[in-house]
Amino acid sequence: MAIRAAIISGRNLTLRASSSSSLGARSLSSSWWRNVQPAPKDSILGVTEAFLADRSPDKVNVGVGISSRGSHHCIWRDAHVPQRSYHYYNPDTKGIDFAAMMNDIKNAPKGSFFLLHACAHNPTGVDPTEEQWTEISHQFKIKGHFAFFDVAYQGLASGNPEKDVKAIRIFLEDGHPIGCAQSYAKNMGLYGQRVGCLSVVCEDERQAVAVKSQLQQRGRLMYSNPPIHGALVVSAILRDPNLKNLWLAEVKGMANRISGMRTALRENLEKLGSPLSWEHITNQIGMFCYSGMTPEQVDRLTKEYHIYMTRNGRISMAGVTTGNVGYLANAIHEVTKSA
């Protein structure tokens, strides 16, 4: 069967299929798509698909969360911009590898562009301290690097949106001309609306006008007019003091729930007598926990316990609940106790 046309009827877009022979162009139509191969499954969407197909009543999905992280490399690759990764996470300490990170910043070519996460780092859940951010900012100043902040989880790290952007304020106070991509998908529950804010700090109004015109031109080529309803929701909330205070309280509630699940998961593992240290679960912050589990251990979790997560061992804490935390901890203990 070949798709013949897209028919728009009322609010619905439907695809009408008809045989190639009915179009009288079998050889022509088949040649267009003959060599097209299925694309590889997305690492996160593939986990969700497998979870949905599993009929076990005990299944748990802690791989949830579709994120601006896996796409970064693809954006630079498709734009033909040379890219390199810098050190950040130390698997031995399950914390930040600050010395190696600073060494990469110092050795990068002058005027390099760095992508940084302002808070609740995805996927590791490990953030620099305020003192470390100050040192990072100082070294950026020496090298003339440009800092571009990805702010996807503002408020979900500490429960305080102002506190969660302390890194950005440090860079601004040091006089950096930063860029910032801010998302409202998570902290306002607007995943389907793709609501965000792109900010670029310029030296003067002339620069700002010129940069804005370039951004508008690229937006026109990519999407022309973005969805508006989600943006109106965000605008209404942030402009109304009562609604904003209600939202801030709800953000803190979400952050507290995640923090509580971190504590519960660690305590359950420790009560089971795990020979491993799980302090990193509560030392890390935000929606994600880098568990330290190997791909083979994650595969066992899925095969034997119907627990789904990405093979790098990242746990989405949003998927951990009071109802499944005990089951999750027991499964993790079983696959890791002999490590």
Side-chain angles (χ1 to χ4, degrees):
M1 302 291 284
I3 293 176
R4 184 174 71 181
I7 309 298
I8 299 179
S9 175
R11 296 182 178 179
N12 300 319
L13 173 66
T14 59
L15 296 177
R16 177 180 297 169
S18 57
S19 66
S20 299
S21 57
S22 68
L23 299 176
R26 178 184 295 274
S27 60
L28 178 61
S29 62
S30 63
S31 66
W32 282 101
W33 315 117
R34 182 184 302 155
N35 297 321
V36 176
Q37 300 297 319
K41 287 187 178 296
D42 179 271
S43 61
I44 296 177
L45 295 180
V47 170
T48 301
E49 289 177 5
F51 169 78
L52 293 174
D54 191 336
R55 296 188 177 183
S56 171
D58 299 321
K59 66 180 181 179
V60 176
N61 185 7
V62 286
V64 291
I66 303 171
S67 59
S68 50
R69 180 183 66 87
S71 302
H72 295 149
H73 294 288
C74 298
I75 291 171
W76 301 125
R77 180 199 67 203
D78 293 347
H80 303 288
V81 175
Q83 58 176 309
R84 292 183 61 184
S85 297
Y86 57 87
H87 287 86
Y88 188 85
Y89 180 76
N90 186 334
D92 295 327
T93 64
K94 297 180 178 63
I96 191 169
D97 195 346
F98 188 67
M101 180 184 181
M102 290 301 297
N103 191 53
D104 286 344
I105 293 172
K106 292 175 183 178
N107 292 327
K110 288 186 177 181
S112 293
F113 179 106
F114 276 77
L115 176 65
L116 303 169
H117 282 205
C119 65
H121 186 270
N122 180 10
T124 68
V126 176
D127 288 354
T129 65
E130 185 173 330
E131 293 74 19
Q132 288 172 333
W133 276 121
T134 299
E135 191 173 341
I136 292 170
S137 174
H138 176 69
Q139 192 59 44
F140 267 53
K141 199 76 171 179
I142 293 174
K143 295 287 295 191
H145 295 328
F146 184 87
F148 189 88
F149 287 94
D150 181 344
V151 192
Y153 306 100
Q154 186 177 359
L156 298 180
S158 68
N160 184 336
E162 287 294 321
K163 182 178 180 180
D164 285 355
V165 290
K166 181 61 178 179
I168 296 176
R169 299 199 184 283
I170 288 172
F171 271 70
L172 290 175
E173 289 167 2
D174 288 347
H176 291 278
I178 67 168
C180 176
Q182 193 176 7
S183 171
Y184 294 100
K186 289 85 174 176
N187 58 18
M188 284 198 175
L190 293 169
Y191 277 89
Q193 298 295 329
R194 317 313 301 167
V195 186
C197 179
L198 173 62
S199 302
V200 180
V201 178
C202 301
E203 294 179 359
D204 53 43
E205 184 176 357
R206 184 194 65 80
Q207 286 186 6
V209 170
V211 170
K212 182 179 180 181
S213 70
Q214 292 287 346
L215 294 174
Q216 288 175 324
Q217 185 178 82
R218 278 148 185 76
R220 178 72 174 91
L221 295 174
M222 288 190 293
Y223 52 77
S224 189
N225 293 295
I228 192 172
H229 296 96
L232 292 175
V233 170
V234 172
S235 179
I237 291 172
L238 295 183
R239 288 178 177 176
D240 186 305
N242 293 327
L243 290 177
K244 184 177 180 180
N245 287 334
L246 177 60
W247 170 68
L248 289 172
E250 292 177 347
V251 168
K252 185 170 180 58
M254 288 191 291
N256 288 344
R257 194 199 78 80
I258 291 172
S259 179
M261 288 299 98
R262 285 183 177 276
T263 300
L265 180 57
R266 176 183 170 182
E267 288 179 347
N268 273 269
L269 283 163
E270 291 173 344
K271 287 177 182 178
L272 289 167
S274 175
L276 304 176
S277 171
W278 296 101
E279 289 183 2
H280 59 281
I281 293 179
T282 50
N283 288 340
Q284 294 172 10
I285 196 168
M287 290 182 66
F288 302 108
C289 169
Y290 233 35
S291 67
M293 288 187 287
T294 66
E296 293 73 23
Q297 290 168 338
V298 172
D299 290 342
R300 280 192 62 194
L301 282 178
T302 302
K303 183 178 180 180
E304 300 175 24
Y305 299 94
H306 306 275
I307 294 173
Y308 294 82
M309 67 178 71
T310 51
R311 295 188 78 235
N312 60 7
R314 186 197 77 165
I315 297 174
S316 173
M317 295 307 301
V320 184
T321 69
T322 54
N324 65 29
V325 66
Y327 179 76
L328 176 63
N330 181 70
I332 292 175
H333 174 60
E334 290 298 321
V335 303
T336 61
K337 64 183 180 181
S338 61

